Amino acid sequence: RTAQPPLRERDVWTSCNVNCGGRCALRAHVVDGVVRAIDSEADTAGHAATACLRGRAMRHRLYAPDRLKYPMLRVGARGEGKFRRASWDEALDLLAARLREAIDTWGNESVYLNVGTGNWGAVLSNSCSSGAPTISRLMNCLGGHLRSYGTYSYAMLEAALPYTYGGAWVDGNPITDVAHSELAVFFGNNPATTRMGGLGVSHDLARALRRSGTRLIVIDPRHSDTAATFADEWIPIRPGTDAALVSALAHVLITENLVDHDFLATHTIGYDEDSMPDGVPAGQSYRSHILGLGPDRTAKTPGWAEAITGIPAERIVRLAREIGAAKPCYIAQGWSLQRQANGEQNCRAVCMLPILTGNVGIRGGNTGAREGFFTMPFAGFPTLDNPVAASIPCFMWTEAVRRGHEMTATTDGVRGVDKLPSDIRFIWNFAGNCLINQHSDANRTARILVDETKCRTIVVIDNVMTASARFADILLPGVTNLEEDDFALSDYATDIGYVIFARKAVEPLFESRSIYDICAAVAKRLGVGEAYTEGRDRAGWLAHLYEESRRLLPGLPERMDDAFDTGIFRMRDPEAPRVPYAAFRRDPVANPLDTPSGRIEIFSKRLWDLGKTWQLGPDERIPGLPEYVPAWEGVEDPLRRTYPLQLIGHHPRQRTHSTGDNVDWLRRIERQELWMNPADAALRGIAQGDMVRVFNARGAVLIPARVTPRIAPGVLSLPEGAWYAPAQDGADTGGCINVLTTQRPSPLAKGNPQHTNLVQVEKA
Amino acid sequence: MLKRPAFHVDMQACTGCRTCVMACIDRNDLPEGILYRRVVEYSGGTCSRNADGTFAQDVFAYHLSIACNHCQNPICVRSCPTGAMRKDEHGIVSVDAKLCVGCRYCEWGCPYCAPQFDAKAGRMTKCDLCRDLLEQGQPPACVSACPNRALHFGEYEDLASMFGEFEVVAPLPDRAITQPNLLVTPARNARPSGSRSGCIRAAAHPGTPRNDTT
């Protein structure tokens, strides 16, 4: 077999738009209207947006046998996956009529735009965590739609960290800063798999470590590829116990006088009893809590944490001394530890280490959040104003279908109004698999969705027959990003921002259409066509957005065609090396933080008050301090007597979330397998490759076991994103972790605790 | 064209992402069961519980990306009874499809599992270093594809002077068998060749080196 001849008749620059935390350039080789090969940018002094395997498999995603070919309408029961072919006119007429019915009968608050991240990087065809701008604009022309906030990626972190640092988003130092550190400590964080593109964090971390030889410690229940490739040491930890580890590290730092007293005195509140906000009784400071002088009278010693975390007390002591001695120290967290039932506490706790040791706002230090990056300005598709004020946490949409009218601010995190006026009656689900697959407790979601008296209409627009598409009433074939022109923006690329001018490589396959054209057609049917289009077609909008962007980026070529020929436009961060909170560090009085005190709030009075006013379960708390709160269904839950193993779900290399699970080339790279420790396997007579049944009260998954020492005893990991495929008896055969996850939200963010699961496993 | 083409793998930058594998699949339209370039995970050690329930671990893992090494002493050429397998003046070891009878002796001989059998065609297939790209002065597709820039390609002597001559690491076989044109910057936790401290885990795809496989 010889390599095919070079295919250069027509090369087209396009992009990989999956939601991986990167953005890569793809070059499609097109012959006779067919993509024959995909490659990417090759290295240009380390600045090439070189695609990883997922982008390079795009040809088989484009030409997947399960591509949706024409509009379809449901004929069987919802979720059964039975459809009949329809014309675009019939499907769009029905969609418009159902939308009109929903708005007229239940109000605009009954229409929900579900999270979809399948076309993440695009500008015009963007799917977005709070609703695609194309659909959002359509709904806003019609009186608005129910809003949502948060994401499935970092809901708890986004909700919690601003209470510590203020603002809306807590930034981190760029990963390249590890070259200026004496020690780097990652809590979770696996850029080797989650930031794989050529202009991504994995590459920049490799280079920075190579240059500096900085020691890296990775704390993770799983020996990730980051731990394997880059770390000097892996410290296995029980899932959901990071805050306990931090408390014990703080105990050593405080008792051995390794804290930065000057920094704490001038830049923070809540560390000791002298710096507490008014209205809080004595004994609530961080120092009191750690030393056992607070209400629980429990010193958070390494011995105390050892029993919770599984990390020997001696190692905790040494780690604290290493962190205390390293000047500066780069402490970062991935988003896994906040995707827990006690996630808000875990992510706030990790930030305590750089705060206690004065590593915030300096080169080589970090805030304790995830690594920061540069974002280049570029115009977005205007969504117009949404007159609806009501907003729900995006994870709570199934509850809003089931009992939206009961949901309030203090019970379910509703924002904008005290109480939701309506249940969700109409769902738009574009380029997303959160309708069933990526949302928790898939079996429960299915039960909620099949009740047609609740949600009346589900519209799904996608490329292939996803698990979610099977639950559509109206199923529309969307184009992939290779079938239309668009701009694709960079993501998490450290100090380089860029835009890829992604040109249409091939004509839309079958009867597939662009999301813009679908929305414009619905707008016309509902009498708001002119308001929606402003007289432009899709190409007209692209030209308009390009002109808008040229105002923001004067360096862009004058003609858009020239930009498309060039493929990629790069811009170095003019403020690199960017050090967040540097001005605050220099002068906290002149440059206060956006917190009530203007300082870093170790104790948050705002959270303390919330914890007293919100309606919480008996086993959950919202404390003022970043203290350890045991997770329900965590390591200390008595439920472990029935379900003794903790289950997490890491990001696999062969998929981006659920994108690509249908692609044969990606499936060839690695099988979907359940990671388990040899000790847990031996106890159950399970050998490498055996089919096992992993289950809890919510469901069961049949999956082959990967028996490996690369995961801690007592912990299992089922890579997230595999497609839900229930068999006759209800057990999932696709390997979808969300058959086992819960819809019970975290206390503050009301976010998705998808790594907090107790399960049992047996040989199938 | 080069005289003694060679690959260099920087295992300290290789995360085992398998982009090189996918670039090869796409470029060569490889069918199921054939991979000219493979990535194997070599890992060992244990992660266990102490008597007090805390964790103890001495786990290590690293990845090795491997294709045909277009060896100086190619055992596949020596073991081919029909003369179909040959090494040309540019150092490329390739199969002449017209002469190959699919006896698979080359496959048995090669310690890197570089020649692979195409059952449909009834003959052997293998990496030819993307000969057409080489003719245009381009490196093979796998090399330019690496997002972490862990793969390099060039004249053996140039790579050796750039990266140094390195001892091979587990699970690679003894260099003396075929004199491979492969240079390796060992992973920070690499075990020496012949080490039995680890094994190839979950080798889901074909063509993994046979020594040490479990």
Side-chain angles (χ1 to χ4, degrees):
Chain A
R1 202 182 175 87
T2 53
Q4 61 196 359
L7 300 164
R8 289 289 185 271
E9 280 109 299
R10 194 172 156 242
D11 285 353
V12 178
W13 282 112
T14 177
S15 56
C16 181
N17 288 359
V18 297
N19 178 25
C20 69
R23 187 75 50 238
C24 295
L26 298 180
R27 195 173 58 168
H29 302 309
V30 184
V31 182
D32 298 331
V34 176
V35 177
R36 294 297 174 90
I38 295 271
D39 63 13
S40 181
E41 274 205 306
D43 207 3
T44 50
H47 298 152
T50 304
C52 81
L53 71 161
R54 301 180 293 222
R56 285 171 201 274
M58 188 67 207
R59 185 152 63 96
H60 273 217
R61 213 181 122 204
L62 171 65
Y63 297 121
D66 55 345
R67 275 293 297 260
L68 299 173
K69 296 181 175 62
Y70 30 73
M72 291 194 282
L73 303 177
R74 176 169 66 84
V75 291
R78 193 182 274 164
E80 205 181 357
K82 288 186 182 157
F83 299 92
R84 70 168 172 86
R85 182 174 180 172
S87 69
W88 269 105
D89 275 340
E90 184 189 8
L92 292 173
D93 286 347
L94 180 65
L95 196 169
R98 292 284 194 87
L99 186 54
R100 173 52 64 200
E101 179 199 22
I103 293 171
D104 290 351
T105 317
W106 300 290
N108 287 76
E109 290 86 350
S110 73
V111 180
Y112 185 64
L113 278 54
N114 205 13
V115 166
T117 66
N119 197 358
W120 192 245
V123 169
L124 188 44
S125 291
N126 188 14
S127 63
C128 183
S129 63
S130 55
T134 40
I135 303 173
S136 190
R137 180 182 175 91
L138 168 64
M139 291 313 307
N140 292 342
C141 288
L142 295 165
H145 59 91
L146 178 62
R147 296 167 189 257
S148 69
Y149 67 89
T151 75
Y152 283 79
S153 294
Y154 46 72
M156 291 72 148
L157 178 130
E158 190 178 30
L161 290 198
Y163 287 99
T164 304
Y165 284 106
W169 177 254
V170 175
D171 207 354
N173 290 45
I175 195 72
T176 42
D177 255 22
V178 301
H180 303 277
S181 311
E182 287 191 359
L183 173 70
V185 181
F186 289 179
F187 286 77
N189 208 12
N190 182 20
T193 309
T194 60
R195 299 281 185 265
M196 286 204 299
L199 261 172
V201 174
S202 177
H203 168 256
D204 292 342
L205 175 63
R207 277 232 293 221
L209 291 176
R210 165 68 48 82
R211 215 168 59 224
S212 60
T214 301
R215 183 171 156 76
L216 171 66
I217 296 171
V218 172
I219 301 160
D220 196 317
R222 198 177 67 96
H223 187 246
S224 65
D225 287 336
T226 298
T229 312
F230 300 123
D232 294 273
E233 187 179 354
W234 169 51
I235 300 180
I237 184 172
R238 294 199 181 104
T241 65
D242 306 80
L245 170 61
V246 171
S247 293
L249 292 169
H251 192 275
V252 179
L253 291 169
I254 292 168
T255 54
E256 300 193 3
N257 201 26
L258 294 168
V259 298
D260 186 336
H261 291 289
D262 292 343
F263 179 76
L264 289 169
T266 49
H267 289 73
T268 73
I269 64 158
Y271 171 68
D272 55 26
E273 296 296 322
D274 297 336
S275 65
M276 289 295 285
D278 292 339
V280 181
Q284 299 287 342
S285 74
Y286 188 74
R287 192 169 176 280
S288 298
H289 171 75
I290 296 297
L291 297 180
L293 308 172
D296 69 1
R297 310 310 291 176
T298 304
K300 311 302 177 301
T301 62
W304 166 85
E306 167 182 282
I308 300 167
T309 62
I311 304 172
E314 166 277 323
R315 186 65 197 95
I316 296 174
V317 172
R318 263 195 302 129
L319 180 60
R321 289 174 185 162
E322 285 173 273
I323 290 171
K327 301 289 174 195
C329 186
Y330 187 98
I331 290 159
Q333 60 181 305
W335 294 335
S336 48
L337 43 142
Q338 57 91 50
R339 224 177 283 117
Q340 290 268 0
N342 56 1
E344 292 94 343
Q345 293 303 99
N346 289 329
C347 64
R348 286 174 72 208
V350 170
C351 292
M352 281 313 298
L353 294 173
I355 292 168
L356 289 170
T357 53
N359 276 299
V360 178
I362 56 170
R363 194 94 201 269
N366 190 21
T367 53
R370 201 167 178 178
E371 60 282 344
F373 64 101
F374 173 57
T375 303
M376 196 176 73
F378 205 85
F381 183 63
T383 57
L384 307 175
D385 292 330
N386 182 359
V388 171
S391 182
I392 59 168
C394 71
F395 182 60
M396 297 297 281
W397 70 268
T398 29
E399 288 310 286
V401 169
R402 210 171 64 83
R403 52 168 190 94
H405 59 283
E406 295 172 15
M407 290 168 66
T408 70
T410 57
T411 56
D412 299 283
V414 170
R415 290 183 187 165
V417 293
D418 292 335
K419 195 171 182 299
L420 279 195
S422 167
D423 299 349
I424 291 174
R425 298 290 194 162
F426 186 108
I427 295 175
W428 286 95
N429 193 88
F430 165 58
N433 216 345
C434 289
L435 190 64
I436 185 93
N437 210 78
Q438 299 302 93
H439 191 58
S440 292
D441 200 344
N443 292 327
R444 184 176 196 264
T445 306
R447 287 195 297 275
I448 291 170
L449 290 181
V450 295
D451 184 354
E452 292 175 44
T453 67
K454 292 290 186 181
C455 183
R456 301 299 274 267
T457 307
I458 299 175
V459 177
V460 172
I461 303 144
D462 215 314
N463 307 138
V464 286
M465 189 58 95
T466 62
S468 291
R470 296 172 62 86
F471 283 81
D473 299 322
I474 300 170
L475 180 53
L476 304 177
V479 295
T480 70
N481 67 300
L482 265 65
E483 294 153 82
E484 60 182 358
D485 293 335
D486 213 327
F487 315 120
L489 301 180
S490 61
D491 213 1
Y492 303 96
T494 307
D495 55 4
I496 294 181
Y498 54 97
V499 52
I500 300 164
F501 294 94
R503 181 167 264 165
K504 179 162 82 173
V506 293
E507 291 303 315
L509 265 60
F510 311 106
E511 290 186 18
S512 60
R513 282 192 190 176
S514 172
I515 187 63
Y516 176 84
D517 293 333
I518 292 169
C519 290
V522 174
K524 189 176 170 195
R525 279 167 171 77
L526 293 173
V528 291
E530 186 58 28
Y532 188 79
T533 64
E534 293 181 22
R536 298 186 183 96
D537 61 5
R538 192 177 184 282
W541 274 105
L542 277 178
H544 173 70
L545 294 177
Y546 187 79
E547 283 311 308
E548 296 272 298
S549 300
R550 282 193 65 218
R551 267 182 231 143
L552 303 166
L553 284 172
L556 285 175
E558 199 175 316
R559 293 178 56 248
M560 187 169 72
D561 256 7
D562 294 339
F564 274 101
D565 286 344
T566 312
I568 185 164
F569 176 87
R570 263 170 279 258
M571 176 183 174
R572 184 168 278 282
D573 181 357
E575 290 174 38
R578 195 173 284 256
V579 179
Y581 306 101
F584 165 71
R585 177 64 189 253
R586 272 194 309 276
D587 188 343
V589 177
N591 308 294
L593 297 181
D594 183 22
T595 56
S597 64
R599 294 184 177 193
I600 292 171
E601 301 206 337
I602 296 171
F603 184 98
S604 170
K605 178 75 165 33
R606 290 184 291 171
L607 283 177
W608 166 270
D609 291 341
L610 269 184
K612 300 211 175 311
T613 50
W614 278 23
Q615 295 176 46
L616 301 170
D619 53 354
E620 53 188 19
R621 291 197 298 127
I622 301 177
L625 286 174
E627 63 190 72
Y628 171 64
V629 176
W632 42 259
E633 214 172 321
V635 69
E636 297 181 65
D637 192 323
L639 186 65
R640 275 188 78 201
R641 285 196 285 272
T642 315
Y643 300 113
L645 300 166
Q646 291 186 277
L647 174 75
I648 57 172
H650 67 271
H651 289 33
R653 61 172 70 91
Q654 73 270 26
R655 291 187 297 275
T656 301
H657 306 306
S658 77
T659 304
D661 195 41
N662 62 317
V663 176
D664 58 349
W665 279 357
L666 289 167
R667 284 178 164 250
R668 213 190 280 180
I669 290 294
E670 197 154 318
R671 286 195 304 180
Q672 175 73 355
E673 293 167 320
L674 178 75
W675 287 47
M676 66 188 307
N677 185 277
D680 296 319
L683 202 62
R684 294 164 176 81
I686 293 165
Q688 164 66 25
D690 280 353
M691 280 300 285
V692 299
R693 184 168 171 273
V694 49
F695 62 97
N696 59 17
R698 292 181 287 269
V701 177
L702 290 167
I703 194 81
R706 178 190 183 113
V707 179
T708 171
R710 295 184 64 188
I711 190 155
V715 184
L716 304 174
S717 187
L718 185 59
E720 61 104 19
W723 290 6
Y724 176 58
Q728 289 286 328
D729 67 352
D732 173 58
T733 57
C736 176
I737 187 177
N738 287 317
V739 168
L740 303 162
T741 57
T742 179
Q743 284 181 9
R744 183 176 175 186
S746 68
L748 174 68
K750 308 299 177 193
N752 47 319
Q754 281 163 312
H755 302 298
T756 302
N757 310 288
L758 291 179
V759 297
Q760 178 59 289
V761 64
E762 64 189 15
K763 199 167 165 174
Chain B
M1 297 291 280
L2 308 172
K3 293 279 177 232
R4 191 182 168 186
F7 287 112
H8 170 253
V9 186
D10 179 355
M11 295 172 74
Q12 292 178 12
C14 174
T15 61
C17 76
R18 289 152 174 86
T19 300
C20 49
V21 178
M22 190 58 73
C24 183
I25 290 175
D26 181 63
R27 175 150 193 94
N28 296 296
D29 262 323
L30 294 180
E32 182 83 44
I34 294 181
L35 293 174
Y36 297 165
R37 182 172 280 282
R38 289 91 52 205
V39 175
V40 296
E41 176 194 310
Y42 187 78
S43 57
T46 57
C47 181
S48 56
R49 277 196 192 89
N50 296 314
D52 63 2
T54 58
F55 300 133
Q57 67 87 15
D58 59 354
V59 173
F60 73 92
Y62 54 86
H63 295 91
L64 185 60
S65 172
I66 191 103
C68 174
N69 299 308
H70 300 269
C71 306
Q72 290 304 92
N73 185 9
I75 203 165
C76 57
V77 173
R78 274 188 283 141
S79 51
C80 178
T82 68
M85 192 71 80
R86 52 185 292 269
K87 185 174 172 78
D88 70 15
E89 68 276 20
H90 300 299
I92 303 172
V93 176
S94 58
V95 197
D96 184 335
K98 291 191 288 294
L99 294 177
C100 178
V101 295
C103 70
R104 308 179 72 164
Y105 285 4
C106 55
E107 182 188 357
W108 292 353
C110 175
Y112 305 99
C113 294
Q116 292 174 20
F117 185 61
D118 182 341
K120 208 170 158 193
R123 57 183 169 76
M124 304 308 297
T125 65
K126 68 180 292 301
C127 159
D128 69 350
L129 292 178
C130 295
R131 188 190 293 272
D132 54 320
L133 286 179
L134 255 49
E135 284 165 1
Q136 299 167 46
Q138 300 286 316
C142 54
V143 171
S144 44
C146 180
N148 269 16
R149 286 79 167 174
L151 281 177
H152 304 100
F153 176 79
E155 203 69 77
Y156 186 93
E157 286 72 21
D158 295 346
L159 292 175
S161 65
M162 217 180 315
F163 300 106
E165 296 254 14
F166 292 100
E167 288 302 305
V168 293
V169 299
L172 288 171
D174 192 330
R175 295 184 66 91
I177 303 170
T178 63
Q179 292 173 266
N181 287 311
L182 173 71
L183 296 122
V184 169
T185 299
R188 51 176 72 201
N189 50 14
R191 300 313 199 250
S193 185
S195 163
R196 298 280 158 181
S197 56
C199 62
I200 293 170
R201 300 271 174 185
H205 35 70
T208 50
R210 276 187 299 267
N211 66 331
D212 281 343
T213 305
T214 56

